[in-house]
Amino acid sequence: MPISQEELETTIRDAWPVDHLEIIDVSSGCGESYAVVIVSPAFEGKLTLARHRMVNEVLKTQIAQMHAFSQKTFTPKQWAADLQKKKEAKEMKEEMKSTVTESDPGPVRVAADVSIDTAPVESAPKQDS
């Protein structure tokens, strides 16, 4: 039986205080594969493995009915840092793109009055060794 995004959201929000929650159905709408991003102060002081175990325990009934499940868990501070890092990367990419565009001379053009010699090149005679 497929799992709904609403069911996942309700179960997660009932378990902990959630600052940010993304639930993505990666199974093209059939409800058998989900990826979640959870930001919660409940993850403070816990390693990633402990956080994932917390999520797996709360969603064990739903996960048992899925084909695939992936998760990313953040504390609010980690989430803010991750967003800042992505913002800076985007700005750097845009800056690099504009720098390349400004310095790109464009296609190389050949003057119309230049002729190209197409005569075959003679090779040097072979020397006996």
Side-chain angles (χ1 to χ4, degrees):
M1 179 174 163
I3 304 299
S4 71
Q5 288 182 333
E6 293 78 20
E7 180 181 351
L8 289 174
E9 181 174 359
T10 299
T11 304
I12 291 167
R13 289 190 184 277
D14 287 348
W16 314 284
V18 175
D19 289 1
H20 178 80
L21 178 61
E22 293 176 32
I23 301 173
I24 303 126
D25 184 344
V26 293
S27 60
S28 302
C30 75
E32 292 189 4
S33 297
Y34 284 98
V36 298
V37 176
I38 306 169
V39 181
S40 175
F43 299 140
E44 293 285 348
K46 294 184 175 36
L47 298 175
T48 302
L49 182 60
R51 296 173 191 178
H52 287 200
R53 286 181 176 160
M54 288 171 62
V55 173
N56 290 346
E57 181 61 30
V58 166
L59 297 176
K60 66 182 169 189
T61 303
Q62 293 85 353
I63 292 172
Q65 298 175 51
M66 292 183 203
H67 173 71
F69 178 76
S70 67
Q71 60 181 295
K72 291 185 180 182
T73 54
F74 297 92
T75 64
K77 185 177 178 179
Q78 289 172 323
W79 180 246
D82 189 64
L83 290 177
Q84 182 63 32
K85 185 176 162 183
K86 287 178 182 175
K87 179 182 175 191
E88 290 170 2
K90 182 179 179 183
E91 289 170 355
M92 182 180 287
K93 182 178 177 182
E94 289 300 319
E95 183 179 324
M96 290 174 65
K97 186 177 177 182
S98 68
T99 301
V100 168
T101 303
E102 291 169 5
S103 64
D104 183 12
V108 176
R109 298 176 190 242
V110 177
D113 62 344
V114 175
S115 63
I116 299 174
D117 186 10
T118 58
V121 178
E122 293 183 30
S123 59
K126 292 186 179 181
Q127 295 181 354
D128 293 331
S129 32

